[in-house]
Amino acid sequence: MLDRNRQHQIAGPGHGQALSADLYYDGAQNYSPYGRDYSEQDEGFSPLKLLFYAVQYRWLIAMMAAAGLVAGVIVTMMQTPKYQATTELEVLVPSAKVFQDIEVVSENSDLRAFQTAREKLKSRALAQRVVFQLGLSEKPDFLFPTADFSLGNIFYRAFGISKSPSIEEKTPEQREAIAIGRILRDLTVNVVPNTSLLSITFVDQKPKYASDVANQVAQSFIDQRLDQTSETSDLARQFIQEQVLQVKQKLQKSEEDLVAYAKDAGITITGDDKSLIGSNIEALNTALATAIQDRLDAGRVVDQIDKGRGSSLSPVLESKGLQALSDKLADLTSQYQQKLGILKPGFPEMQQLQSQIKELQRLYDNGVLAITDSLRLKYQEAQNKEADLKAKLAEMEKQQVVFNDKNIKYTILKREVDSNRSQYDSLITKLNEVGVSSELKTQTAAIVDFATQPNSPYSPRLSINVAIALALFLALSASVIYVIELLNNTFTNPEQVEKELGLAMLGILPLVDDRELVAAIADQKSGLSEAYRSLRTSLQFSGAEGAPRSLVVTSSEPSEGKSTTSFKLGQDFAALGARVLIVDGDLRKPNLHRLFGLDNTIGLSNLLTNTVRKEDLASIFRATKYPNVTVLTSGTIPPNPADLLSSPKMALIITNLGKRFDVVIIDAPPIVGLSDAPILSRLAEGTLMVISTNQVTRKSAKAALKRMRAAGANVVGAAMSKFAVNKFDYNYAYKYMNYQYYSYGADTAKIEGKVDDGADQPAYAKSPAFKRLVRRLRSSIGGFVDRAKSVS
């Protein structure tokens, strides 16, 4: 047994051996990768995250943007310059003039006239006319233009080298067809909104052809319209007038026959061409539908009454009198139940309450019965009304049958009247159109603005091509970044640890090069040492009573820096004057004895298995060269570490050690794949999880935390190790820290002589400025190598 009152003996370790950098991180060769798996990715992005990704992948985005710029320039060089010219043509739509109150009113122009003119301008016949007027079928540069998009255009635009076209191999008919096809393909006609103008645009590689064709199309359209226009002949006008007289006589005769038959048959027609009987039937059908709906509604209410649910109907619930009776009945019933615990039912006061309750219940039931009887009466009235309407409808339907027999001939006569009236109206309209068109002598179209020869091409546009290419390549870079992030399932920043695991971030431990790790740990003014002191401070405020007296330091997987964290936390707590004991709880692959430069002959396993002599019991707890720091190594590696750690003796040892020391730090094995860490976490007051950056998977860390909490561990928070604080990505986007912060004050004191690094390392006599320069150069070279690897 440990004697809490006995002073432990301190044995100094040997300091002759030098420690290598790999001892300060758990050796990856000691463990197989526990629980490797992929975790789900974060969902949703905030603007700050988007900014972070843009900064993190700035080199990829910059390269893709540069590629987009080059692609935009190349595509522009491969396109043939084109010129466009536009002619504006006004379409003059004829309109009839009607005198109303001695004022001339012009009818609105029909939009169909503009659409018709637009289609005629794009017709093949008009294009053939333009080809003939300009002689385009004999011009090789018009018939055989340069390719719109070709690799040869780069040489043409750079050196002016082009192949002259030849028309000798084409017949006149083929050349004409080619010219017509070119005009139809490159001609665009649009209606100018809210005007009577048409814009005629032609595109060509030669600016002269662009303007000449656009102007000639407008002029040919005007000439074509004038050729097709002819005056209405007097013979046609006389013929229409004769037809109007004949149809007018037929219309008068058919109307007289219709009126006479309706009078003889007694047919009465309403204003909307329906019979009075038909109108009555429609009204009866509407009333019957309403009556049926009322009867159905009343029937549902009666059905509720028949099922004994009359008291729950809305008329009953809305009755103020019944509501008052119900409230009073509930009040008396409540009084009766309250007094029943004191008085017997036979007591006069109780009998009086019973009689009052019965009387109120009778009055309430009578009220409900009166309301339900009125609802039944309403249902009966609805049934009677429905029956009356059905009988009346049947009577009207019989009259409708008789009327239909009479209406057959009436319908035939009325159809003849409608036909004659339609013919008469149509002939009158045509007669008016002929009269108006014969009076119009004005031009049907006029050129408002002639096309001028363009001075600069409208296509290609370098700015547009570059913008499109840049947008496409940036979209491609965004897709690549999304895929990279989709495949990345490790922790890259502290925010992800807090979000995914729900743990407080107690400390962020910067990444240090292996060649500088020993010196960084030994140097109390290094960035790494400052980070561990910040972690110590966070642990001091992690609980209501300060730092946990017993703390388990563990990680999800090996090689995350838990042993180094235990080593440094012990020194930092001891620097405050606390008595610190560091226990190597990893009975499988211990590492702490190497960090302190001690042997591992006896230790915790020997204490648990009673294989240590009583007189050697105090020598198990070894003093170190660091003041107030004592180490309990793991000892002989046992075959059953989990059984030893879960024994009652282990719990007793932890309890007694907590009384002898101010702080007990236990370096536990990794969580995933082993049961040692959950066992130790139950014995300690707090547990600290060390999570390495860009190493442990999120799913593995979640599984480890779940196991710890299932075992009843008090996980006070997490420490993120191997965090690249000097990377511009994290400094700019997250502003968690910077390397200069952890090096603050390093230049205030001169370093002379030897620096005690824990392994008799030689002193660094270089200046702080030179050390910062070397550190920045290494960081820049390392970042360049990382980017090269990511690109490859």
Side-chain angles (χ1 to χ4, degrees), residues 566-584:
S566 303
F567 175 74
K568 285 295 293 179
L569 282 178
Q571 298 180 29
D572 293 336
F573 276 110
L576 299 178
R579 294 173 301 167
V580 179
L581 173 65
I582 304 178
V583 180
D584 194 343

Side-chain angles (χ1 to χ4, degrees), residues 328-345:
K328 190 172 182 180
L329 181 62
D331 184 41
L332 292 177
T333 303
S334 176
Q335 294 180 15
Y336 181 81
Q337 292 297 330
Q338 291 178 357
K339 294 181 179 181
L340 188 62
I342 302 174
L343 304 177
K344 295 183 179 181

Side-chain angles (χ1 to χ4, degrees), residues 57-171:
Y57 295 97
R58 59 190 180 277
W59 293 109
L60 174 62
I61 296 175
M63 287 188 294
M64 296 298 287
L69 294 175
V70 174
V73 173
I74 293 176
V75 169
T76 303
M77 294 295 293
M78 294 176 66
Q79 290 181 286
T80 302
K82 291 185 177 182
Y83 299 83
Q84 73 174 6
T86 302
T87 300
E88 288 190 351
L89 179 70
E90 181 180 7
V91 179
L92 305 175
V93 180
S95 58
K97 297 180 179 179
V98 181
F99 286 93
Q100 292 183 357
D101 298 334
I102 317 180
E103 292 184 359
V104 179
V105 179
S106 178
E107 296 180 352
N108 292 329
S109 300
D110 190 357
L111 182 60
R112 290 176 298 179
F114 301 107
Q115 297 294 339
T116 303
R118 178 176 177 271
E119 295 302 322
K120 285 184 177 181
L121 285 165
K122 297 173 63 177
S123 64
R124 186 176 185 84
L126 186 63
Q128 185 177 14
R129 189 164 187 158
V130 173
V131 170
F132 176 76
Q133 292 290 338
L134 297 178
L136 299 177
S137 60
E138 302 299 328
K139 297 180 179 180
D141 53 350
F142 182 82
L143 296 176
F144 307 107
T146 308
D148 293 339
F149 187 82
S150 174
L151 186 62
N153 289 336
I154 298 178
F155 300 97
Y156 172 72
R157 298 183 68 177
F159 307 104
I161 301 175
S162 63
K163 180 181 178 182
S164 60
S166 175
I167 62 174
E168 301 297 334
E169 299 177 357
K170 301 293 182 181
T171 63

Side-chain angles (χ1 to χ4, degrees), residues 362-506:
R362 184 184 64 80
L363 293 176
Y364 180 80
D365 293 340
N366 291 338
V368 172
L369 182 61
I371 293 176
T372 54
D373 289 342
S374 65
L375 293 176
R376 290 180 185 274
L377 181 60
K378 183 178 179 182
Y379 174 63
Q380 185 64 36
E381 292 176 354
Q383 287 180 326
N384 296 335
K385 182 178 180 181
E386 180 183 355
D388 294 340
L389 289 174
K390 287 183 177 179
K392 185 63 176 178
L393 182 60
E395 180 181 353
M396 295 300 296
E397 287 177 348
K398 293 179 181 179
Q399 296 180 8
Q400 180 67 23
V401 172
V402 177
F403 173 78
N404 289 338
D405 293 339
K406 297 179 181 180
N407 194 42
I408 294 175
K409 185 176 180 180
Y410 178 85
T411 304
I412 295 173
L413 294 174
K414 188 175 182 302
R415 188 183 300 116
E416 184 177 357
V417 171
D418 294 339
S419 177
N420 293 333
R421 183 178 292 111
S422 176
Q423 293 180 18
Y424 179 77
D425 294 339
S426 177
L427 290 173
I428 290 297
T429 302
K430 290 181 179 180
L431 183 61
N432 292 334
E433 291 177 355
V434 170
V436 171
S437 62
S438 62
E439 296 176 0
L440 293 176
K441 305 294 182 182
T442 58
Q443 190 174 331
T444 57
I447 298 177
V448 176
D449 192 8
F450 285 93
T452 59
Q453 185 171 324
N455 297 323
S456 59
Y458 90 101
S459 173
R461 294 184 181 178
L462 179 61
S463 58
I464 295 178
N465 289 342
V466 168
I468 294 175
L470 189 62
L472 292 177
F473 276 83
L474 289 179
L476 179 61
S477 65
S479 302
V480 173
I481 292 172
Y482 176 76
V483 173
I484 292 175
E485 288 297 319
L486 196 65
L487 298 178
N488 181 21
N489 64 338
T490 59
F491 294 98
T492 58
N493 56 76
E495 185 184 55
Q496 293 175 344
V497 176
E498 295 176 348
K499 181 179 179 181
E500 296 286 341
L501 303 183
L503 293 178
M505 183 54 59
L506 300 181

Side-chain angles (χ1 to χ4, degrees), residues 547-552 654 658 662-666 683-687:
R549 293 184 61 87
S550 56
L551 177 69
V552 171
I654 296 297
D662 297 327
V663 178
V664 178
I665 299 175
I666 305 173
L683 305 178
E685 292 184 6
T687 301

Side-chain angles (χ1 to χ4, degrees), residues 1 269 272 294 301 315 332 354 471 482 494 554 599 609 661 715 736:
M1 289 290 295
I269 301 299
D272 53 356
D294 294 342
V301 174
L332 292 177
Q354 289 179 359
Y482 176 76
T554 184
D599 62 82
T609 56
F661 295 91
V715 183
Y736 283 107

Side-chain angles (χ1 to χ4, degrees), residues 225-242:
R225 292 287 295 267
L226 292 176
D227 293 343
Q228 293 175 352
T229 304
S230 62
E231 296 182 357
T232 305
S233 63
D234 294 337
L235 182 61
R237 184 174 184 180
Q238 183 180 359
F239 173 76
I240 295 176
Q241 290 176 347
E242 293 175 357

